[in-house]
């Protein structure tokens, strides 16, 4: 399976985990120097990890359906 050559179509609902993944790490990086978000780091990292796993799972599932 070559991830970079596979062509799949995604609905807007299927992009939600990927968008959450990107948004959560963006908030972590953007708030690294601010005390306001410091108490939410663990939750944001958990959200990031869960959405990464979910996104990769959906990607692999889509690639297998296409074959």
């Amino acid at each position: 399976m070559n991830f970079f050559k596979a062509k799949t179509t995604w609905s807007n609902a299927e992009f939600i985990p990927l968008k959450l993944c990107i948004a959560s790490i963006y908030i972590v990086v953007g708030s690294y120097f601010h005390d306001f978000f410091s108490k939410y780091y663990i939750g944001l990292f958990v959200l990031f990890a869960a959405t990464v796993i979910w996104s990769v799972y959906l990607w692999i599932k889509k690639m297998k359906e296409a074959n």
Side-chain angles (χ1 to χ4, degrees):
M1 249 189 272
N2 191 347
F3 290 122
F4 300 111
K5 292 185 180 178
K7 296 191 187 259
T8 60
T9 57
W10 291 67
S11 68
N12 286 336
E14 291 173 328
F15 270 121
I16 290 173
L18 183 63
K19 289 177 182 180
L20 283 173
C21 171
I22 293 168
S24 62
I25 199 63
Y26 176 76
I27 291 171
V28 169
V29 171
S31 66
Y32 182 74
F33 296 105
H34 298 285
D35 292 333
F36 180 74
F37 288 105
S38 64
K39 60 184 172 184
Y40 302 114
Y41 280 152
I42 294 172
L44 290 170
F45 279 121
V46 169
L47 178 64
F48 173 69
T51 53
V52 163
I53 292 168
W54 192 3
S55 297
V56 170
Y57 168 75
L58 288 175
W59 187 354
I60 291 171
K61 182 179 169 188
K62 279 286 217 186
M63 287 179 52
K64 286 183 179 179
E65 288 176 0
N67 291 335

